[in-house]
Amino acid sequence: MSIEKLARANVRELTPYQSARRLGGKGDVWLNANEYPIAPEFQLTAQTFNRYPECQPALVIERYAAYAGVKKEQVLVSRGADEGIELLIRAFCEPGKDAILFCPPTYGMYAVSAETFGVERRTVAAKEDWQLDLPAIADSMDSVKLIYVCSPNNPTGNLIDPDSLRSLLELAKGKAIVAVDEAYIEFCPQASVAGWLSDYPHLAILRTLSKAFALAGLRCGFTLANEDLIALLLKVIAPYPLSTPVADIAAQALSEEGIRTMRQRVTDIAATRSWLQQQLEKCACVEQVFASDSNYLLARFTASSNVFKSLWDQGIILRDQNKQPGLSGCLRITIGTRDECQRVVDALSALPGANPTRQEPM
């Protein structure tokens, strides 16, 4: 018997999440993973590498709770928000019995994580404006234990209407956990639902240091929830999820100075995003640029496959979204440095569009 035949059937058939690094490429302008373009500098202060770390590093928890405006007991730290996604499935979903629900186009790890654990993946397509189709969700709730909503949504960049989120939470009361993925919330902090935790015991919020905190390589994420929910997640998390160096740097990033630096990054990224959107709208090969509350822009292109390959060949790596429902012809562009974004604009300006004689708006 082959090793493959010994594996679970769903794992044999599983298509893994195609992360930016798995997709590869040999570019020098990496705008496909929603990373911050400049590496921050930190010096390690912890030296006790001979000892196992705390399961939940006290200083990291304390500082993140203060930053997020919640109690320490409402915070769990994990290996990126991706581990938080999996912990919720492990804690609440019975394989072969329960289902998760999510609304594509959205982040691909919800589906992959559920499939890995043998949990049904149920989808309700977002409406044309990428908002929640609440009646369709209500009709699909049978056996659903966990609902994922990404806001701002990846890859579309839009916020989910708060009234719709409240309606969803009411719909799910006593039936399912609602996990709101706020990986990009630093770019629109006013939209966070962290202040709703006291109203909804079945609300979980996923956060990360990978985006505005510029620490994608650190792999540090958070789940915010009420104490009873956090206690359940602590039963299924690994005994030492964060290494000592990760906890050390995370605590530094969450200092007062670290948070001030992060907010300046957000201001800079927002300015570059606005500039890039204006420039993209002038390119003949661009059909539409969608508004964004995140650190990336989604745009629809004429002959997007040719656009993607042309930029790839020039060392500019974007993220192809053509396979996502409703995103035919779309590419996602991370907001890099101004120079990197200028290279994108220059490369796109040389490409033809559906209407080569198109005039710039007055």
Side-chain angles (χ1 to χ4, degrees), residues 35-56:
E35 302 152 322
Y36 188 72
I38 302 171
E41 292 186 6
F42 291 95
Q43 300 296 322
L44 288 179
T45 59
Q47 298 296 329
T48 54
F49 301 143
N50 60 311
R51 303 295 183 188
Y52 287 111
E54 299 173 273
C55 176
Q56 293 291 289

Side-chain angles (χ1 to χ4, degrees), residues 127 131-135 137 149 151 159-172 178 180 190-193 196 200:
K127 297 190 293 185
Q131 293 297 322
L132 302 178
D133 188 340
L134 290 169
I137 292 174
V149 179
S151 181
L159 287 166
I160 303 301
D161 177 66
D163 291 336
S164 293
L165 284 176
R166 284 196 180 273
S167 296
L168 179 65
L169 284 158
E170 293 294 334
L171 176 66
V178 176
V180 179
Q190 76 286 351
S192 176
V193 297
W196 298 8
Y200 300 107

Side-chain angles (χ1 to χ4, degrees), residues 175-188:
K175 301 175 185 175
I177 302 299
V178 176
V180 179
D181 189 338
E182 292 189 345
Y184 300 92
I185 201 64
E186 278 75 25
F187 298 97
C188 47

Side-chain angles (χ1 to χ4, degrees), residues 28-31 37 335-345:
D28 60 334
V29 177
W30 292 91
L31 302 180
I335 308 303
T337 64
R338 181 65 68 94
D339 287 344
E340 289 174 332
C341 291
Q342 183 66 62
R343 279 188 60 181
V344 172
V345 171

